[in-house]
Amino acid sequence: MGDLGWVAYPKNGWEEIGEVDEDYAPIHTYQVCRVMEQNQNNWLHTNWILTEGAQRVFIELKFTLRDCNSLPGGVGTCKETFNMYYYETNGDEEEIEDGEMRDGTGMTEEEDRLMKESRYIKIDTIAADESFTELDLGDRVMKLNTEVRDLGPLTRKGFYLAFQDLGACIALVSVRVFYKRCPFLVKSLAEFPDTIPGSEASQLVEVVGHCVNNSLPLYEPPRMHCSTEGEWLVPIGKCVCQPGFEEINGSCKVCKMGFYRSLLDSLACSKCPPHSVARQTGATSCSCEDGYYKIDSDPPNMACTRPPSAPRNAISNVNETSVFLEWSVPMETGGRKDVRYNILCRRVLPDGRGLEECGPNVRFLPRRVALSNTSVMVADLQSHTNYSFLLEAVNGVSELAKDHAKQYVSLNVTTNQAGIVVRKGHTEKSSIALSWAEPDRPNGIILEYEIKYFEKEQDSSYTIIKSKETEMVVEGLKPSSVYIFQVRARTSAGYGAFSRRFEFQTSPYCEYITATSERTQALIVAVAITLALVLLAVVAGFLLSGRRCGYSKAKQDPEEEKMHFHNGHIKFPGVRTYIDPLTYEDPNQAVHEFAQEIDVSFISIERIIGAGEFGEVCSGPLRLPGKREIQVAIKTLKAGYTEQQRRDFLWEASIMGQFNHPNIIRLEGVVTKSKPVMIITEYMENGSLDTFLKKNDGQFTVIQLVGMLRGIASGMRYLSDMGYVHRDLAARNILVNSNLVCKVSDFGLSRVLEDDPEAAYTTRGGKIPIRWTAPEAIAYRKFTSASDVWSYGIVMWEVMSYGERPYWEMSNQDVIKAIEESYRLPGPMDCPEALYHLMMDCWQRERSNRPKFDEIVCLLDKLIRNPSSLKKLVNSSHRWDLWVCFFCLFTVGEWLDSIKMGRYTELFMEGGYSSLETVAQMTSEDLRRVGVNLAGHQKKIITNIQEMRVHMNSTNSTVNI
Ligand code: ACK
């Protein structure tokens, strides 16, 4: 029928209206309007549509549809929808089959149609957003609807569409069938062909680019990913001009004479550096002038250099049998920064008979050769002996400059009487055993020794004890303290000089168990606790503290605890201290110190899982050679970043790479040698905790929830032991894997807070996630492990309320005020009382009263071992009185429901009591007037109203009711 060749069945169903537009081009419209007749089943089949290889196609329909209500009578049979179908084939079957099959099989035309229609698959039922009426017709208003559906994955060469009408009044004005493709693109000297996307909604098709002339792939072939939306995403790798060429206007041009380009990742040809030349075009390196040298590790843009001159201003300082040598850097460093010094030590033989090498007994601190500092300590020389020292300066090219005479400076010194060297023996909490050797060549027989000692930095008071032996045990010392010891000898001629100072430390009070061997150590703890109890009985008043559950409210300052830790009072012997990447001058060095560089060819990006601040977050397999394949998350840094953004991005890896704990997200490595820069971490199947809990509201047992909280607390205990303060602990920053293991993630310093959508600016500047942050951290930036504990309390609340937003829709300002006025979040629904108590302790105003993370872990373990302790739930009336008056978020109906008086809601509304504020003013008389007649109910409501008033009065100043 008509030019389109579409087929309608039955013949009196869909009809084609052929018209022409103002340019006489044909316009086809199909319409059907058999609304008054029963049992309509009108089909309209398109002709065969080629897919051209597309696996997902889009169908855009434009149509008008008559409003059934506007039809006079017969509305009962009228429909306002129609159906769209498709049928995939590899050839145009209509042409082959039409008529022939039927003839052969004896099928009627109707049976043939039915058979064909049964092969069609339904795409959707199409309804109109707007239907038209008689009035619209009169007004000549065209209510055109546009609907788009997509279809895929398609696997055959083509398909048919069909439109089924079951009794509607439709005019099909336009059917547009299209697919999306990623267009031909030249990016970073690589060409990417026109590409058809994959069939799945979030699928990416990886395409390898082709490098333009005189260019090469940098590290790996360039790749891009074609999305189903027809957009090129996640560029990986690129092409660069080969050495000796440079990129000018998108092509590669040869380097001129005197210029060179050696590295693929430098952009342009560069002038040869000082003392070097390039005598041809297309040079990939420059050669050194005579007398100048280069070593393999020198970067190509570095000048050619020569050996240094001798060190200057050498001086010596003799102390007994040690000599401290010091000098200044040479006048001429040869143009290099790698100047090092070697010491040649020779002893002058008695009577000037010559010199001999000092031998292995002499110690050089830090070492004898390749010294980078301009000083050295030479110890264990012989007493009363002459020595000659030669100090030599060398640099990276000294070895190459064979004909360059060595440049020395020499120093002659004479040693004195040897002093006493004190050694430390067995050490306990309150004692240290000391020993020393008799001094050589004393001026007479030694009668006794005097030992002087004092606590380090307290030298205003010291103790002296005497000994006839060359050893003794010094007792009565403080645990975990550093002491200074000096020893001198007395002969009949009197006292000699005190030895130099020796620093020794006593043992700590108590050793904590390590996180990694907790179970085996539990036994030791049990024994330790028993011992502690025995000791307690014997030494009354002497308190031994160990690792135990429960926590006392009066505690030392958390800062102090940290200081102890840093000063070597190590609580967890196996745990290192976190190193702030800021302490590295070069942030790249920090990244490579803590993170492994991964070759991008070991990673495949399969899908995008989210959007991070710096670029997409993707996932895919990581196949490291010799290791089993694992699934990883890949955070990418989007193109066009600044150096600062790159540094900020990799900052997180420098931090994460320092941690190794089952409840801290594990860093697999970084990709920095190719673009995009990536951070690779273990993959956490269930994503972030807040979304995960919202999705699974009410699905877990209390033990499962406590298990998650225990994991988070254990991760935080590890971080605080490392001396790391997280500052942004919140459920959104916890990731969950398929085994429900929770891991702390999102590291960084201020950057973390800059990225967090929850972070708000405070009056002192800087962004802080107010709802999760302790008051002292908001007020004066006192971020400590104790403020992390506050945030942990909020995370507990988020977990127990399945991802509810803390303080709901209250403004940040109101949250700050409420906390200031001692209000705290109410216990979540069905929350065990023990957990709510723990939360409330985490929210103690005085930070030293908050529990420590190890105490939290310990308490949660105890609760998990005794599930009956979780049976008692937070009292609901206790929850509600805080809830209503503090947060004032509820309607009168919700409040009545909460006190089980919901049946009176309508009466309250009819009586004009529609806000909690008006309810708060009600008297018993008012209650009777609205229709609360039962005395028991009146009493219950009045009691609750009175409580409400108390809270309203105390919150009136802060909370808008
Ligand atoms: O809630 P989600 O699914 O979990 O969405 C965010 C998104 O990426 C942006 O950060 C998810 N995400 C981040 N790191 C990982 C990871 N290691 N494993 C799985 N998903 C991750 C996060």
Side-chain angles (χ1 to χ4, degrees):
M1 275 175 63
D3 291 341
L4 277 182
W6 290 12
V7 181
Y9 181 82
K11 299 271 186 267
N12 58 358
W14 290 91
E15 59 176 326
E16 182 184 347
I17 311 292
E19 285 180 62
V20 286
D21 67 8
E22 57 270 33
D23 297 323
Y24 296 101
I27 306 174
H28 300 278
T29 301
Y30 280 95
Q31 66 175 39
V32 63
C33 192
R34 305 193 58 174
V35 288
M36 300 300 183
E37 290 153 68
Q38 302 281 345
N39 301 331
Q40 291 301 304
N41 185 14
N42 303 310
W43 283 73
L44 176 62
H45 300 256
T46 68
N47 40 14
W48 194 50
I49 304 167
L50 275 166
T51 57
E52 298 180 359
Q55 296 177 53
R56 175 163 295 273
V57 298
F58 298 82
I59 301 143
E60 183 203 73
L61 302 178
K62 292 197 171 163
F63 60 94
T64 61
L65 207 132
R66 177 78 187 244
D67 179 352
C68 285
N69 287 326
S70 74
L71 286 169
V75 180
T77 61
C78 172
K79 303 278 182 314
E80 289 188 350
T81 60
F82 62 99
N83 298 325
M84 179 159 63
Y85 291 82
Y86 80 108
Y87 166 44
E88 267 196 278
T89 65
N90 276 327
D92 189 350
E93 290 182 2
E94 292 290 326
E95 271 175 16
I96 309 161
E97 286 180 11
D98 213 17
E100 290 168 22
M101 258 181 71
R102 197 172 65 236
D103 296 346
T105 57
M107 261 194 251
T108 63
E109 191 178 341
E110 168 127 14
E111 282 165 346
D112 175 53
R113 284 289 152 203
L114 283 176
M115 190 202 64
K116 282 187 181 165
E117 280 158 12
S118 70
R119 290 185 295 202
Y120 275 81
I121 299 165
K122 185 163 171 184
I123 301 172
D124 205 356
T125 297
I126 313 288
D129 291 332
E130 287 196 274
S131 47
F132 67 86
T133 63
E134 198 100 30
L135 283 176
D136 298 322
L137 282 180
D139 296 345
R140 302 187 66 80
V141 176
M142 170 88 142
K143 289 195 167 166
L144 197 59
N145 295 283
T146 305
E147 293 288 330
V148 180
R149 297 290 181 277
D150 62 339
L151 192 56
L154 294 174
T155 51
R156 310 241 169 126
K157 282 190 193 149
F159 61 94
Y160 299 93
L161 288 177
F163 305 95
Q164 182 195 30
D165 162 57
L166 298 170
C169 192
I170 318 158
L172 194 51
V173 178
S174 150
V175 178
R176 201 162 70 89
V177 180
F178 60 96
Y179 61 89
K180 298 184 182 179
R181 51 201 302 163
C182 297
F184 172 82
L185 174 76
V186 181
K187 189 177 165 74
S188 309
L189 295 176
E191 292 172 349
F192 294 91
D194 197 78
T195 301
I196 297 173
S199 57
E200 297 289 330
S202 63
Q203 192 182 348
L204 295 176
V205 174
E206 186 181 89
V207 179
V208 178
H210 178 75
C211 292
V212 303
N213 276 350
N214 292 322
S215 75
L216 298 167
L218 180 66
Y219 304 119
E220 49 152 352
R223 286 178 278 155
M224 289 273 258
H225 297 81
C226 177
S227 77
T228 31
E229 285 306 305
E231 287 168 337
W232 289 108
L233 296 176
V234 203
I236 294 177
K238 63 174 183 175
C239 301
V240 288
C241 293
Q242 60 193 45
F245 289 81
E246 63 186 335
E247 185 184 341
I248 296 176
N249 298 333
S251 66
C252 296
K253 300 270 158 43
V254 71
C255 295
K256 290 186 288 184
M257 247 167 29
F259 285 77
Y260 77 104
R261 186 166 157 267
S262 59
L263 293 177
L264 290 182
D265 49 3
S266 71
L267 289 180
C269 299
S270 316
K271 207 167 171 352
C272 287
H275 307 297
S276 70
V277 284
R279 297 196 172 87
Q280 279 160 356
T281 60
T284 57
S285 65
C286 305
S287 42
C288 289
E289 291 169 2
D290 282 351
Y292 286 88
Y293 308 89
K294 205 164 220 185
I295 51 173
D296 291 345
S297 56
D298 285 350
N301 61 353
M302 183 171 152
C304 292
T305 54
R306 51 185 177 177
S309 58
R312 293 173 301 144
N313 311 328
I315 52 163
S316 63
N317 197 343
V318 178
N319 187 359
E320 298 168 2
T321 53
S322 303
V323 182
F324 183 71
L325 303 176
E326 207 175 4
W327 58 90
S328 319
V329 292
M331 182 82 86
E332 166 68 81
T333 62
R336 303 186 65 89
K337 293 205 171 75
D338 57 355
V339 177
R340 298 285 180 273
Y341 306 95
N342 300 329
I343 314 293
L344 185 61
C345 169
R346 289 172 305 170
R347 187 169 77 93
V348 180
L349 295 175
D351 310 326
R353 278 185 286 116
L355 298 163
E356 71 168 11
E357 293 275 333
C358 288
N361 291 339
V362 175
R363 283 188 302 133
F364 292 83
L365 298 169
R367 61 188 162 271
R368 190 181 71 76
V369 292
L371 294 160
S372 47
N373 288 339
T374 54
S375 63
V376 68
M377 173 69 106
V378 189
D380 296 344
L381 295 166
Q382 291 176 12
S383 56
H384 304 294
T385 306
N386 290 331
Y387 285 89
S388 164
F389 292 98
L390 291 182
L391 316 183
E392 177 198 16
V394 291
N395 68 13
V397 296
S398 294
E399 279 288 300
L400 299 175
K402 294 280 183 232
D403 43 355
H404 190 277
K406 288 199 169 183
Q407 305 274 309
Y408 293 111
V409 63
S410 78
L411 267 176
N412 295 326
V413 295
T414 306
T415 53
N416 300 327
Q417 167 76 38
I420 292 172
V421 177
V422 183
R423 300 195 191 284
K424 184 171 84 156
H426 180 72
T427 306
E428 293 208 0
K429 280 197 283 286
S430 59
S431 67
I432 297 179
L434 302 176
S435 64
W436 56 90
E438 222 178 69
D440 64 341
R441 291 206 245 163
N443 55 356
I445 295 168
I446 294 173
L447 302 173
E448 63 177 7
Y449 294 97
E450 226 180 55
I451 299 98
K452 172 180 171 183
Y453 69 92
F454 52 89
E455 200 180 338
K456 194 177 177 186
E457 278 149 24
Q458 319 251 316
D459 45 1
S460 53
S461 70
Y462 58 84
T463 310
I464 286 196
I465 42 180
K466 295 179 195 279
S467 163
K468 293 217 176 340
E469 310 299 327
T470 56
E471 59 185 20
M472 78 167 310
V473 177
V474 182
E475 290 179 322
L477 305 178
K478 284 202 250 170
S480 302
S481 307
V482 178
Y483 284 85
I484 308 286
F485 297 90
Q486 287 178 285
V487 175
R488 68 177 176 182
R490 185 165 73 82
T491 63
S492 51
Y495 280 107
F498 268 117
S499 70
R500 65 181 176 83
R501 293 166 166 221
F502 292 86
E503 269 187 39
F504 301 126
Q505 189 178 0
T506 49
S507 305
Y509 251 135
C510 55
E511 315 268 345
Y512 272 62
I513 49 179
T514 62
T516 47
S517 59
E518 236 164 340
R519 260 183 230 107
T520 41
Q521 298 269 353
L523 236 167
I524 301 172
V525 173
V527 174
I529 290 173
T530 319
L531 266 176
L533 286 174
V534 172
L535 268 170
L536 227 128
V538 177
V539 191
F542 191 83
L543 184 70
L544 270 176
S545 68
R547 189 174 203 165
R548 55 172 208 267
C549 280
Y551 38 88
S552 60
K553 294 286 159 77
K555 286 256 167 63
Q556 59 189 136
D557 188 278
E559 274 316 79
E560 231 175 272
E561 181 188 324
K562 203 161 155 189
M563 290 258 299
H564 280 308
F565 177 76
H566 284 298
N567 280 345
H569 296 219
I570 300 169
K571 295 198 302 175
F572 283 74
V575 177
R576 288 175 296 115
T577 309
Y578 155 76
I579 299 167
D580 188 342
L582 260 188
T583 53
Y584 284 76
E585 225 169 86
D586 174 8
N588 284 322
Q589 198 195 339
V591 174
H592 288 108
E593 175 97 26
F594 299 120
Q596 183 199 354
E597 177 75 28
I598 293 181
D599 192 306
V600 76
S601 63
F602 300 143
I603 304 161
S604 308
I605 292 183
E606 276 182 350
R607 45 185 13 95
I608 299 181
I609 53 176
E613 174 68 12
F614 289 95
E616 283 114 6
V617 182
C618 309
S619 70
L622 168 68
R623 296 180 199 92
L624 286 178
K627 288 201 177 161
R628 91 188 149 80
E629 175 180 311
I630 54 165
Q631 202 63 19
V632 288
I634 305 150
K635 284 193 180 181
T636 60
L637 173 61
K638 59 183 164 232
Y641 54 80
T642 61
E643 192 45 36
Q644 182 63 39
Q645 282 170 323
R646 181 179 189 274
R647 237 176 276 155
D648 288 353
F649 176 72
L650 288 174
W651 180 278
E652 183 172 17
S654 314
I655 293 173
M656 226 191 290
Q658 298 186 40
F659 304 141
N660 176 16
H661 188 274
N663 297 103
I664 307 288
I665 191 86
R666 190 181 67 251
L667 177 73
E668 295 296 340
V670 290
V671 178
T672 63
K673 299 243 161 82
S674 59
K675 297 220 176 110
V677 175
M678 303 176 192
I679 296 179
I680 316 294
T681 62
E682 65 182 305
Y683 181 65
M684 301 291 286
E685 295 81 353
N686 281 316
S688 48
L689 178 60
D690 61 335
T691 341
F692 175 65
L693 287 171
K694 279 179 212 151
K695 251 190 261 164
N696 296 286
D697 194 355
Q699 300 297 306
F700 301 117
T701 61
V702 169
I703 290 289
Q704 278 176 310
L705 296 176
V706 178
M708 292 183 205
L709 289 173
R710 196 268 178 208
I712 302 166
S714 171
M716 289 308 297
R717 172 177 65 180
Y718 173 82
L719 292 183
S720 72
D721 285 337
M722 286 275 284
Y724 179 79
V725 180
H726 191 290
R727 295 173 175 229
D728 198 10
L729 177 60
R732 65 184 167 280
N733 290 332
I734 304 291
L735 290 167
V736 189
N737 73 9
S738 54
N739 296 325
L740 291 194
V741 176
C742 289
K743 306 200 181 196
V744 181
S745 83
D746 266 75
F747 298 97
L749 202 73
S750 50
R751 189 188 66 65
V752 173
L753 305 176
E754 292 297 322
D755 292 354
D756 188 338
E758 281 295 348
Y761 283 101
T762 63
T763 45
R764 288 165 59 100
K767 278 172 113 184
I768 288 178
I770 302 291
R771 285 155 213 271
W772 282 263
T773 306
E776 75 276 6
I778 297 175
Y780 53 99
R781 308 242 174 150
K782 187 81 187 155
F783 284 99
T784 57
S785 289
S787 64
D788 277 352
V789 166
W790 178 292
S791 313
Y792 178 80
I794 304 287
V795 172
M796 285 185 76
W797 190 90
E798 288 182 277
V799 169
M800 297 316 294
S801 55
Y802 283 94
E804 184 64 80
R805 179 171 167 74
Y807 312 97
W808 302 272
E809 297 317 317
M810 272 176 83
S811 71
N812 279 341
Q813 223 36 52
D814 283 344
V815 171
I816 294 173
K817 270 189 168 175
I819 294 299
E820 188 55 38
E821 292 179 6
S822 299
Y823 287 104
R824 295 293 182 267
L825 279 167
M829 188 113 90
D830 298 331
C831 175
E833 198 177 67
L835 292 179
Y836 186 53
H837 279 160
L838 178 58
M839 288 179 212
M840 291 295 275
D841 278 344
C842 293
W843 302 328
Q844 292 272 355
R845 157 168 295 284
E846 179 57 49
R847 67 179 188 281
S848 58
N849 288 345
R850 295 175 204 153
K852 307 287 179 291
F853 279 116
D854 59 350
E855 292 163 334
I856 295 176
V857 174
C858 204
L859 180 69
L860 294 177
D861 280 344
K862 227 172 120 182
L863 296 178
I864 292 170
R865 280 196 303 269
N866 298 299
S868 59
S869 57
L870 295 163
K871 286 242 165 68
K872 188 162 184 223
L873 302 183
V874 176
N875 181 325
S876 70
S877 70
H878 164 64
R879 287 198 302 110
W880 279 106
D881 60 21
L882 273 167
W883 166 255
V884 171
C885 303
F886 167 22
F887 298 104
C888 301
L889 292 170
F890 291 95
T891 61
V892 173
E894 284 166 326
W895 174 74
L896 285 169
D897 280 343
S898 77
I899 55 171
K900 303 210 165 42
M901 294 286 117
R903 75 196 73 174
Y904 294 116
T905 306
E906 260 180 41
L907 294 180
F908 270 57
M909 296 295 130
E910 282 162 13
Y913 296 97
S914 55
S915 74
L916 287 176
E917 217 178 7
T918 49
V919 171
Q921 312 303 325
M922 285 176 95
T923 59
S924 304
E925 184 50 43
D926 294 332
L927 281 181
R928 238 170 281 126
R929 209 173 301 129
V930 296
V932 182
N933 296 321
L934 294 173
H937 288 179
Q938 280 176 11
K939 199 167 159 215
K940 185 162 187 182
I941 296 174
I942 281 295
T943 315
N944 277 285
I945 286 177
Q946 278 160 356
E947 261 186 35
M948 190 196 302
R949 271 192 220 130
V950 173
H951 287 288
M952 274 187 177
N953 287 340
S954 55
T955 55
N956 251 349
S957 54
T958 53
V959 182
N960 286 332
I961 296 166

